[in-house]
Protein backbone atom coordinates (compact mmCIF):
# COMPACT_ATOMS: atom_id res chain seq x y z
CA UNK A 1 0.00 0.00 0.00
CA UNK A 2 2.87 2.41 0.64
CA UNK A 3 2.73 5.29 3.06
CA UNK A 4 0.83 7.89 1.03
CA UNK A 5 -2.37 9.36 2.49
CA UNK A 6 -5.32 8.33 0.31
CA UNK A 7 -8.46 10.47 0.46
CA UNK A 8 -11.72 9.09 -0.95
CA UNK A 9 -14.15 11.99 -1.44
CA UNK A 10 -17.66 10.62 -1.93
CA UNK A 11 -19.80 13.10 -3.81
CA UNK A 12 -22.88 13.35 -5.95
CA UNK A 13 -22.84 14.82 -9.45
CA UNK A 14 -22.98 18.60 -10.01
CA UNK A 15 -21.70 18.94 -6.47
CA UNK A 16 -18.54 21.07 -6.75
CA UNK A 17 -16.69 17.76 -7.01
CA UNK A 18 -14.55 18.68 -10.02
CA UNK A 19 -13.57 22.05 -8.53
CA UNK A 20 -12.55 20.17 -5.38
CA UNK A 21 -10.44 17.82 -7.50
CA UNK A 22 -8.81 20.90 -9.08
CA UNK A 23 -8.23 22.35 -5.62
CA UNK A 24 -6.45 19.25 -4.31
CA UNK A 25 -4.65 18.83 -7.62
CA UNK A 26 -3.17 22.32 -7.21
CA UNK A 27 -1.15 21.02 -4.26
CA UNK A 28 2.40 20.01 -5.19
CA UNK A 29 2.13 17.03 -2.83
CA UNK A 30 -1.08 15.53 -4.26
CA UNK A 31 -2.05 13.20 -7.12
CA UNK A 32 -5.73 13.07 -8.15
CA UNK A 33 -7.95 10.41 -9.73
CA UNK A 34 -11.19 11.25 -11.53
CA UNK A 35 -14.21 8.95 -10.96
CA UNK A 36 -12.32 5.67 -11.34
CA UNK A 37 -15.47 3.50 -11.00
CA UNK A 38 -17.38 5.31 -13.79
CA UNK A 39 -16.57 2.70 -16.44
CA UNK A 40 -17.56 -0.19 -14.16
CA UNK A 41 -20.85 1.60 -13.38
CA UNK A 42 -21.65 2.12 -17.06
CA UNK A 43 -20.76 -1.46 -17.95
CA UNK A 44 -22.98 -2.85 -15.19
CA UNK A 45 -25.99 -0.52 -15.59
CA UNK A 46 -25.98 0.53 -19.25
CA UNK A 47 -27.14 3.94 -17.97
CA UNK A 48 -27.38 6.02 -21.20
CA UNK A 49 -24.77 8.65 -20.35
CA UNK A 50 -23.06 10.98 -22.82
CA UNK A 51 -19.92 9.42 -24.37
CA UNK A 52 -20.57 6.12 -22.58
CA UNK A 53 -18.78 3.97 -25.19
CA UNK A 54 -15.72 6.23 -25.14
CA UNK A 55 -15.72 6.26 -21.34
CA UNK A 56 -15.82 2.47 -21.08
CA UNK A 57 -13.10 2.11 -23.72
CA UNK A 58 -10.87 4.55 -21.86
CA UNK A 59 -10.75 2.87 -18.44
CA UNK A 60 -10.80 -0.32 -16.41
CA UNK A 61 -14.43 -1.46 -16.13
CA UNK A 62 -13.76 -4.30 -13.65
CA UNK A 63 -14.87 -3.48 -10.11
CA UNK A 64 -12.17 -5.51 -8.39
CA UNK A 65 -9.47 -4.23 -10.73
CA UNK A 66 -10.34 -0.61 -9.99
CA UNK A 67 -10.42 -1.26 -6.23
CA UNK A 68 -7.00 -2.92 -6.46
CA UNK A 69 -5.62 0.10 -8.33
CA UNK A 70 -7.06 2.60 -5.83
CA UNK A 71 -5.45 0.73 -2.92
CA UNK A 72 -2.26 -0.14 -4.82
CA UNK A 73 0.85 1.94 -5.48
CA UNK A 74 0.30 5.67 -6.00
CA UNK A 75 1.20 6.13 -9.70
CA UNK A 76 2.61 9.60 -9.03
CA UNK A 77 4.51 8.72 -5.85
CA UNK A 78 3.17 11.82 -4.07
CA UNK A 79 2.52 11.98 -0.29
CA UNK A 80 -1.25 12.44 -0.87
CA UNK A 81 -3.61 10.76 -3.34
CA UNK A 82 -7.03 12.43 -3.70
CA UNK A 83 -9.67 10.18 -5.26
CA UNK A 84 -12.86 11.80 -6.58
CA UNK A 85 -15.61 9.19 -6.30
CA UNK A 86 -19.27 9.43 -7.33
CA UNK A 87 -21.42 7.69 -4.73
CA UNK A 88 -24.11 6.78 -7.28
CA UNK A 89 -21.56 4.82 -9.32
CA UNK A 90 -21.21 2.24 -6.52
CA UNK A 91 -23.82 -0.26 -7.69
CA UNK A 92 -21.46 -3.24 -8.07
CA UNK A 93 -19.81 -5.68 -5.66
CA UNK A 94 -17.35 -3.10 -4.29
CA UNK A 95 -18.20 -0.73 -1.44
CA UNK A 96 -16.17 1.80 0.52
CA UNK A 97 -14.98 -0.84 2.99
CA UNK A 98 -13.38 -2.74 0.11
CA UNK A 99 -10.97 0.21 -0.11
CA UNK A 100 -8.92 -0.30 3.07
CA UNK A 101 -6.53 2.36 4.24
CA UNK A 102 -8.41 5.28 2.67
CA UNK A 103 -9.61 8.34 4.58
CA UNK A 104 -13.25 8.69 3.56
CA UNK A 105 -14.98 12.07 3.38
CA UNK A 106 -18.34 13.23 2.04
CA UNK A 107 -19.13 16.26 -0.13
CA UNK A 108 -22.82 17.21 0.02
CA UNK A 109 -25.02 19.80 -1.70
CA UNK A 110 -28.66 20.84 -1.35
CA UNK A 111 -30.47 18.42 -3.69
CA UNK A 112 -32.56 21.18 -5.28
CA UNK A 113 -29.34 22.85 -6.45
CA UNK A 114 -28.01 19.52 -7.73
CA UNK A 115 -31.18 18.79 -9.68
CA UNK A 116 -31.19 22.26 -11.25
CA UNK A 117 -27.55 21.91 -12.32
CA UNK A 118 -27.76 18.26 -13.35
CA UNK A 119 -31.02 18.62 -15.28
CA UNK A 120 -29.39 21.32 -17.41
CA UNK A 121 -26.86 18.70 -18.55
CA UNK A 122 -29.15 15.67 -18.88
CA UNK A 123 -32.55 14.94 -20.35
CA UNK A 124 -33.83 13.32 -17.15
CA UNK A 125 -32.57 12.85 -13.61
CA UNK A 126 -33.69 10.26 -11.06
CA UNK A 127 -33.17 10.24 -7.28
CA UNK A 128 -30.55 7.48 -7.61
CA UNK A 129 -28.47 9.71 -9.91
CA UNK A 130 -27.81 12.01 -6.92
CA UNK A 131 -26.28 9.19 -4.90
CA UNK A 132 -27.46 10.50 -1.53
CA UNK A 133 -28.64 7.06 -0.42
CA UNK A 134 -25.18 5.60 -1.10
CA UNK A 135 -23.54 8.53 0.68
CA UNK A 136 -25.63 7.81 3.78
CA UNK A 137 -24.90 4.06 3.59
CA UNK A 138 -21.15 4.59 3.24
CA UNK A 139 -21.14 7.35 5.88
CA UNK A 140 -22.89 5.11 8.42
CA UNK A 141 -20.57 2.18 7.73
CA UNK A 142 -17.49 4.37 8.01
CA UNK A 143 -18.78 6.00 11.21
CA UNK A 144 -19.31 2.55 12.69
CA UNK A 145 -15.79 1.53 11.68
CA UNK A 146 -14.16 4.68 13.07
CA UNK A 147 -16.33 5.11 16.14
CA UNK A 148 -17.01 8.72 15.12
CA UNK A 149 -18.37 10.63 12.13
CA UNK A 150 -16.03 10.93 9.12
CA UNK A 151 -15.67 14.42 7.59
CA UNK A 152 -18.72 15.88 5.83
CA UNK A 153 -18.51 19.22 4.03
CA UNK A 154 -21.23 21.19 2.24
CA UNK A 155 -20.37 22.77 -1.11
CA UNK A 156 -22.35 25.91 -0.22
CA UNK A 157 -20.12 26.46 2.83
CA UNK A 158 -16.98 26.05 0.70
CA UNK A 159 -18.22 28.64 -1.82
CA UNK A 160 -19.04 31.10 0.96
CA UNK A 161 -15.53 30.93 2.47
CA UNK A 162 -13.08 28.69 0.59
CA UNK A 163 -9.97 29.38 2.74
CA UNK A 164 -11.69 28.77 6.07
CA UNK A 165 -13.65 25.68 4.98
CA UNK A 166 -10.79 24.03 3.11
CA UNK A 167 -8.49 24.59 6.08
CA UNK A 168 -11.08 22.89 8.32
CA UNK A 169 -11.44 20.02 5.84
CA UNK A 170 -7.67 19.51 5.71
CA UNK A 171 -7.55 19.42 9.50
CA UNK A 172 -10.36 16.85 9.56
CA UNK A 173 -8.45 14.74 7.01
CA UNK A 174 -5.21 14.99 8.98
CA UNK A 175 -3.26 16.88 6.31
CA UNK A 176 -1.67 20.32 6.32
CA UNK A 177 -3.62 23.23 4.83
CA UNK A 178 -2.03 24.56 1.64
CA UNK A 179 -3.17 27.94 0.24
CA UNK A 180 -2.30 26.61 -3.24
CA UNK A 181 -5.71 24.90 -3.04
CA UNK A 182 -7.44 28.23 -3.73
CA UNK A 183 -6.11 28.76 -7.28
CA UNK A 184 -5.35 26.60 -10.30
CA UNK A 185 -4.54 26.92 -13.98
CA UNK A 186 -7.45 26.93 -16.45
CA UNK A 187 -7.82 24.09 -18.91
CA UNK A 188 -7.95 20.30 -18.95
CA UNK A 189 -5.62 17.94 -17.07
CA UNK A 190 -4.06 14.60 -17.97
CA UNK A 191 -5.80 13.28 -14.86
CA UNK A 192 -9.29 14.33 -16.10
CA UNK A 193 -11.61 11.60 -17.32
CA UNK A 194 -12.28 11.47 -21.07
CA UNK A 195 -15.78 12.83 -20.28
CA UNK A 196 -14.31 16.20 -19.27
CA UNK A 197 -15.06 17.70 -22.71
CA UNK A 198 -18.79 17.19 -22.08
CA UNK A 199 -19.13 17.91 -18.36
CA UNK A 200 -16.32 20.25 -17.31
CA UNK A 201 -16.97 23.37 -19.39
CA UNK A 202 -17.31 25.63 -16.34
CA UNK A 203 -14.33 24.14 -14.51
CA UNK A 204 -12.15 24.25 -17.64
CA UNK A 205 -12.37 28.04 -17.70
CA UNK A 206 -12.10 28.47 -13.92
CA UNK A 207 -8.99 29.39 -11.94
CA UNK A 208 -10.55 29.14 -8.48
CA UNK A 209 -13.81 28.59 -6.65
CA UNK A 210 -16.83 30.47 -7.96
CA UNK A 211 -19.20 32.90 -6.27
CA UNK A 212 -21.47 31.79 -3.43
CA UNK A 213 -24.62 29.94 -4.46
CA UNK A 214 -27.57 32.03 -5.60
CA UNK A 215 -31.02 31.37 -4.12
CA UNK A 216 -32.30 27.86 -4.83
CA UNK A 217 -33.90 27.91 -8.30
CA UNK A 218 -37.50 27.00 -9.07
CA UNK A 219 -37.82 23.41 -10.26
CA UNK A 220 -40.52 21.80 -12.34
CA UNK A 221 -42.73 19.18 -10.67
CA UNK A 222 -40.53 16.27 -11.71
CA UNK A 223 -37.35 17.98 -10.53
CA UNK A 224 -39.01 18.98 -7.27
CA UNK A 225 -39.99 15.36 -6.70
CA UNK A 226 -36.40 14.20 -7.20
CA UNK A 227 -35.06 16.86 -4.84
CA UNK A 228 -37.60 16.03 -2.14
CA UNK A 229 -36.87 12.30 -2.44
CA UNK A 230 -33.20 13.02 -1.69
CA UNK A 231 -33.71 15.68 0.98
CA UNK A 232 -33.93 13.36 4.02
CA UNK A 233 -30.52 11.89 3.14
CA UNK A 234 -29.03 15.35 2.65
CA UNK A 235 -30.51 16.61 5.93
CA UNK A 236 -29.14 13.57 7.76
CA UNK A 237 -25.59 14.09 6.47
CA UNK A 238 -25.81 17.86 7.02
CA UNK A 239 -26.18 17.23 10.77
CA UNK A 240 -22.55 16.06 10.76
CA UNK A 241 -21.04 18.65 8.43
CA UNK A 242 -17.97 20.68 9.31
CA UNK A 243 -19.31 23.89 10.86
CA UNK A 244 -18.95 27.07 8.82
Amino acid sequence: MGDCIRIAMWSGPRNLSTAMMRSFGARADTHVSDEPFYGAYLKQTGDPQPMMDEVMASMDCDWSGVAATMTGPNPAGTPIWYQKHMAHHMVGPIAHDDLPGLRHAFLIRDPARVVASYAAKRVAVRPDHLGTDKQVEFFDREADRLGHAPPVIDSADILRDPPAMLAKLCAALGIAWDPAMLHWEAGLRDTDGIWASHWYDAVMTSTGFGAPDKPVPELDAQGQGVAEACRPDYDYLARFKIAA
Side-chain angles (χ1 to χ4, degrees), residues 11-141:
S11 172
R14 321 307 295 166
N15 226 26
L16 205 69
S17 58
T18 309
M20 286 290 282
M21 180 174 69
R22 283 286 185 273
S23 176
F24 275 86
R27 298 174 63 113
D29 62 359
T30 302
H31 172 61
V32 301
S33 289
D34 191 8
E35 301 182 28
F37 288 103
Y38 192 15
Y41 164 79
L42 291 174
K43 184 178 178 183
Q44 176 146 344
T45 63
D47 190 13
Q49 297 264 350
M51 301 177 67
M52 65 183 294
D53 292 335
E54 296 96 319
V55 171
M56 287 190 289
S58 75
M59 61 197 308
D60 186 356
C61 297
D62 175 70
W63 291 97
S64 299
V66 178
T69 298
M70 293 300 104
T71 55
N74 177 350
T78 52
I80 300 171
W81 185 358
Y82 180 89
Q83 301 176 7
K84 171 195 170 193
H85 291 295
M86 290 287 117
H88 73 287
H89 288 169
M90 305 305 288
V91 295
I94 300 294
H96 96 285
D97 38 9
D98 298 304
L99 301 167
L102 276 66
R103 301 182 186 183
H104 298 273
F106 297 82
L107 177 64
I108 62 173
R109 190 182 190 196
D110 184 302
R113 297 189 190 282
V114 178
V115 171
S117 177
Y118 205 31
K121 282 282 186 181
R122 287 182 61 118
V123 176
V125 58
R126 306 187 305 263
D128 59 286
H129 284 135
L130 272 65
T132 55
D133 55 341
K134 277 290 179 193
Q135 282 186 307
V136 167
E137 178 194 334
F138 285 11
F139 172 87
D140 283 344
R141 286 161 72 167

